[in-house]
Amino acid sequence: MSANPLAPGWLSHPEDANALDARVWPRGARRDDDGVVTLAGVPVGDLAREFGTPLYVLDEADALGRAAEIRDAFAAAFPGGSSVYYAGKAFLSIEVARWMADAGLNIDVASGGELAVALAAGVDPSRLGLHGNNKSLPEIDRAVGAGVGAIVLDSVVEVERVAEAARRHGIVQNVRLRINSGVHASTHEYLATAREDQKFGIPISDAVEVVAGIRDHPELRFLGLHSHIGSQIFESAGFGEAARRLLELHAALRAGGDVPELNLGGGFGIAYTSADEVVPMATIADELARVVTGECERLGIPVPKVAIEPGRVIIGPSTVTLYEVGTIKDVLVTGDNGGSAVRRYVSVDGGMSDNVRPALYAADYAVRMVNRSSDADAVLVRVAGKHCESGDIVVRADYLPGDVRPGDLLAVPATGAYCWSLASNYNYLGRPAVVAVKDGAARAIVRRETEDDLLSRDLGARA
Ligand SMILES: Cc1ncc(COP(=O)(O)O)c(C=O)c1O
């Protein structure tokens, strides 16, 4: 069977459209001899029957394994001290916050709501960091009052706001300063200077003055600099370049006082499709350690404690979204050269409300039929959602067995990060449940939204 000319260049015709690529699927995903896919030992049909679809299914051991591997890789690469913050914006629930804290990770929150979830999980507030380019006064007050370990200052005006809250609570608040290093990596574009044109952080050139201002406040303790250069980054070069730029500044700031830490942010890439080549986190940790120690030697300063804030690389690969096929349509598409080919639209019972990334970032995903295997010839499909938007696409292009039919279950892997957390109620769809699977058992950790939930905030209902 030849490739469909409508297929993008990176997508090859599969030898076996039933195969689960281990680089993209959770570690606990298997296709059993009967053709049914199990996730951590739980058959997908059982999951769909018990919890309904669409459904986020989170392989607990996968997420915990990746968290521990990253923690250990950085501990080994930076023997002088390192810390890993789990970036809760990728996906945060009370249970997941607890897992991460139990695995020895700190947690990075980016709003009062995320802070509330981490506190509800019983995470020691001293292990939390608060981010945000526009934290509200109540958010700052709550964080300071709760005793969060550090607040990342993102603008000059926040220096006084956080100092004032610390004064009110009678404490000294640890702070970091977010720097816009000018390195904003998006795969190969990490040196694009235009990336300085963005809302986060303060320019490197202003930092010495801002840190002096922080140090003038006895209610604030300056821990160090922070940078986050972007997301879904595959190479360590951008992180290395940011580390170099920040360490120059870090060394200069030591003249005015202690600078114990350097935070290099998150953004490490994951494989969404078989075409994505991912660098192991141990390699990234080693390369970063080489850059940081080399640079510190050159500058004649001790290696600071290095912190990172990964979200996607911990939780992203752990989760698949399970959908049921509703309708199927073959559409004859005429190409630029006048030739035509068929694209099969397979519509599922979710869409951009549970995964907005394809619409938001033109993100690509893979898909497999998971309730059965099939020897039918593979056909190019586009998996569409059920929303009233033609851009409501879940998987732009992949191959499925040609006998895929209504009622089949499809699974889209690598949906653990920025899917549930960006989910919406568009078209009044309730947000799906999140189910954790482990050792052959499944339990909901976030329940599905019901119609009652959706109506409960609407004050127009008559008594
Ligand atoms: C400041 C900061 N830290 C960490 C992260 C986590 O990034 P990722 O989930 O790609 O690792 C983000 C993501 O936007 C961020 O803005």
Side-chain angles (χ1 to χ4, degrees), residues 31 368-374 400-401 403-404 408-410:
R31 193 179 289 276
R368 285 288 178 259
M369 184 168 77
V370 286
N371 56 314
R372 62 186 176 97
S373 59
S374 163
L400 284 176
D403 63 352
V404 61
D408 278 330
L409 294 176
L410 303 185

Side-chain angles (χ1 to χ4, degrees), residues 87 89-90 108 131 178 226 228 231 266-268 309-312 418:
K89 65 203 80 179
D108 153 32
H131 269 289
R178 182 160 179 177
H226 176 282
H228 174 77
S231 279
F268 310 98
E309 292 169 355
R312 181 192 322 264
Y418 306 106

Side-chain angles (χ1 to χ4, degrees), residues 184-190 195 229-233:
H184 187 104
S186 172
T187 58
H188 302 293
E189 299 168 31
Y190 64 86
R195 302 302 176 94
I229 59 171
S231 279
Q232 185 58 1
I233 298 162

Side-chain angles (χ1 to χ4, degrees), residues 120-143:
V123 179
D124 177 349
S126 71
R127 293 176 54 193
L128 301 177
L130 175 69
H131 269 289
N133 68 301
N134 185 19
K135 304 165 197 77
S136 68
L137 294 180
E139 281 174 327
I140 291 172
D141 189 70
R142 180 154 190 218

